[in-house]
Amino acid sequence: MWSQSSMSKPKTLLEKIWDTHVVVEREQTVVYIDLHLIHEVTSPQAFTGLKEKGLKVRRPDKTFATIDHSLPTLIDSSNSRLSFADSMAVKQIEQLISNCKEFGIELYGLDSPHQGIVHVIGPELGLTQPGYTIVCGDSHTATHGAFGALAFGIGTTEVEQVLATQCLFQKKPKNYAVNLEGKLRRGVSAKDIILALIAKIGIDGATGHVFEYRGYAIKNLSMEERMTICNMSIEAGARAGMVAPDETTFDYLYHRPLAPKGAAWKEAVSRWKRFPTDEGAIFDKEVTIDVSSLEPMITFGTNPAMAIPISARVPDPESIADSGQKSSLQQALSYMDISPGRQLLDHPIDTVFIGSCTNSRLSDLEQAAKVFKGRKVAVKTLVVPGSQSVKKEAEDAGIDLIFKEAGAEWREPGCSMCIAMNGDQVAPGKYSVSTSNRNFEGRQGKGARTFLASPLTAAAAAVTGKITDIRSLEIEIL
């Protein structure tokens, strides 16, 4: 374990975690992995590879599985969700169940009270802990970096590698400081912070780097808000996003089912407190955002960097000198059927989705419920909790009734409309306001047009049937 007295120079959070996990250091470093999360979509080929090579899972005790991506969020009268699944989804789910049984891996499956989106259940169970290296065959694994962990997505071949060896070949990333200063204004949330950052530096602005989110604003966010920000780090090209562990982190983890207990908890906290970046440590890149200057954000194009403040106007491709960027913007506006130079306010929409690994936690649902209370939805609206635990908490608090009384659909946990592979999708040519993380062409269904936004902005759109500035509604929000 790293200790300050042994340091030759001040180190960043990233460097401290990296240095304690290096197994062999070469051009491609072999790094030890503390936690491997798997799901039904990117694991089948990896398990097939193990079987063909006659290999076992090296550390089944450090591997945990859930069913989320292809699992329908509808449930029938016999309490089954698979009756709504297509043959491919059923095959993926059955294969994961079989593989976990064969290789001795804990599965939070169809009947588990902990089933849910992989990046929601990891933290709420206490699997995610500061100082860990965490991988998953999913792009938004950076979510777990909110706890001071080095967490990133990997491909199917790498999933097999980690299953077999509990290690991974990696090139050491560079350090990128994101200084978030100031205090959020009314109606502005964590989702707006990360969309503003991505819009500022672009989809490749952090390629080869790991973000460390720092400053007054990040320190004053809850763990769930920090997870929202870290979740979308990949959308700016970053390998991961991290927040140094602090008392907010420890308070969240305390009493989580799989977090350390008793004397082990005290020892863990003592260790975790040594991970924050040392004073004087050097970052390779740095950017500062005054969050008090931000408005609610919304995307207008086909990647998350194509985002603007909700009162701003859609940029004109003719004003862009770079031919590549100009062409990309023209293509995006054509796909979205949006004219440059106009505001998005009052743009009619057809569907609203509140959910995903970005915004499906209890605090997200609580925010949205404030908007829905006493109102009726104007368009089809899906509200999908991130896990069975979140669903139960929401129902115990009566939040589900607010959504139901407003006319929204209260669904079972899963990835849902974030990715159109489970039956939840937007019709061709139709518009959705979504709290998910990607607005690529066809992401929510063939020909679907997606506006990414916060739960507050999505809720405002649901009850008005158009893109609406949440600050214009008479509602008590922070």
Side-chain angles (χ1 to χ4, degrees), residues 99-300:
N99 285 329
C100 287
K101 184 177 181 180
E102 179 178 349
F103 288 93
I105 293 169
E106 180 78 32
L107 169 63
Y108 300 109
L110 299 174
D111 299 322
S112 171
H114 301 299
Q115 178 272 327
I117 302 173
V118 65
H119 306 313
V120 175
I121 69 168
E124 70 184 15
L125 286 170
L127 287 168
T128 304
Q129 296 178 25
Y132 271 13
T133 49
I134 302 173
V135 296
C136 175
D138 184 89
S139 300
H140 298 97
T141 308
T143 307
H144 307 265
F147 292 80
L150 176 57
F152 50 89
I154 57 176
T156 298
T157 301
E158 292 173 309
V159 170
E160 181 184 343
Q161 184 182 128
V162 178
L163 288 173
T165 68
Q166 204 57 32
C167 293
L168 189 63
F169 283 112
Q170 284 289 293
K171 182 178 180 181
K172 185 177 181 180
K174 295 181 179 180
N175 293 278
Y176 196 140
V178 179
N179 304 310
L180 301 174
E181 303 297 347
K183 186 177 180 181
L184 288 173
R185 295 188 294 178
R186 178 179 179 272
V188 184
S189 69
K191 183 65 164 286
D192 302 307
I193 294 175
I194 189 60
L195 285 175
L197 171 64
I198 299 166
K200 183 180 180 71
I201 70 173
I203 57 173
D204 57 358
T207 301
H209 293 73
V210 167
F211 285 139
E212 183 182 334
Y213 298 100
R214 302 152 54 81
Y216 176 86
I218 202 76
K219 290 177 183 176
N220 285 277
L221 294 181
S222 69
M223 285 310 302
E224 296 193 347
E225 291 170 315
R226 295 177 187 184
M227 282 187 260
T228 292
I229 290 176
C230 287
N231 173 273
M232 290 187 68
S233 299
I234 184 69
E235 308 307 338
R239 191 74 177 103
M242 309 170 75
V243 179
D246 58 13
E247 292 302 323
T248 301
T249 318
F250 310 148
D251 289 345
Y252 179 95
L253 287 172
Y254 191 62
H255 284 324
R256 295 285 165 178
L258 299 177
K261 301 290 187 295
W265 169 260
K266 293 182 179 179
E267 190 279 329
V269 171
S270 176
R271 183 175 69 254
W272 296 341
K273 287 181 176 180
R274 298 199 291 268
F275 279 111
T277 293
D278 298 323
E279 187 175 347
I282 296 173
F283 288 87
D284 301 285
K285 271 186 163 184
E286 195 162 355
V287 65
T288 298
I289 293 178
D290 178 3
V291 304
S292 65
S293 68
L294 299 180
E295 293 184 35
M297 298 288 292
I298 192 161
T299 62
F300 60 85

Side-chain angles (χ1 to χ4, degrees), residues 1-13 15-17 19-20 273-282:
M1 169 57 62
W2 166 89
S3 64
Q4 189 170 1
S5 61
S6 65
M7 284 173 32
S8 58
K9 66 180 182 66
K11 291 186 177 182
T12 64
L13 169 61
E15 289 166 340
K16 292 178 183 182
I17 297 175
D19 289 350
T20 60
K273 287 181 176 180
R274 298 199 291 268
F275 279 111
T277 293
D278 298 323
E279 187 175 347
I282 296 173

Side-chain angles (χ1 to χ4, degrees), residues 21-65:
H21 288 79
V22 171
V23 178
V24 179
E25 192 160 20
R26 297 174 182 168
E27 184 176 342
Q28 283 283 308
T29 304
V30 178
V31 177
Y32 180 77
I33 302 302
D34 292 302
L35 176 64
H36 188 192
L37 302 170
I38 62 174
H39 57 82
E40 76 275 19
V41 175
T42 55
S43 66
Q45 303 95 320
F47 280 111
T48 297
L50 293 186
K51 294 172 187 177
E52 290 174 347
K53 298 177 180 69
L55 299 173
K56 295 181 179 180
V57 174
R58 174 72 175 173
R59 293 296 301 269
D61 59 318
K62 293 185 176 292
T63 309
F64 296 84

Side-chain angles (χ1 to χ4, degrees), residues 330-471:
Q330 288 173 330
Q331 181 179 334
L333 294 182
S334 175
Y335 179 83
M336 293 292 290
D337 194 21
I338 291 175
S339 301
R342 59 156 293 179
Q343 288 185 311
L344 290 179
L345 285 172
D346 296 328
H347 190 294
I349 55 116
D350 305 286
T351 306
V352 167
F353 168 56
I354 297 174
S356 84
C357 59
T358 314
N359 286 122
S360 64
R361 298 172 182 85
L362 185 63
S363 60
D364 299 312
L365 304 183
E366 288 172 335
Q367 280 192 335
K370 290 180 181 179
V371 184
F372 281 81
K373 191 170 185 178
R375 296 180 170 90
K376 296 292 184 181
V377 299
V379 295
K380 178 179 179 178
T381 302
L382 270 63
V383 182
V384 186
S387 70
Q388 293 292 347
S389 297
V390 171
K391 182 172 183 283
K392 184 178 186 304
E393 285 184 279
E395 291 176 347
D396 288 346
I399 293 173
D400 63 315
L401 298 179
I402 295 174
F403 293 126
K404 291 174 183 176
E405 289 168 3
E409 297 181 40
W410 177 248
R411 296 292 192 88
E412 291 295 310
C415 294
S416 186
M417 203 177 278
C418 175
I419 183 167
M421 63 184 304
N422 46 53
D424 295 344
Q425 51 188 283
V426 179
K430 300 298 184 181
Y431 291 96
S432 88
V433 174
S434 175
T435 66
S436 51
N437 42 54
R438 286 184 166 166
N439 53 336
F440 303 158
E441 292 186 20
R443 173 77 178 188
Q444 291 193 300
K446 185 176 181 180
R449 296 164 172 161
T450 304
F451 298 111
L452 298 179
S454 71
L456 285 172
T457 298
V463 299
T464 61
K466 58 187 179 181
I467 294 177
T468 301
D469 188 337
I470 182 63
R471 299 171 298 179

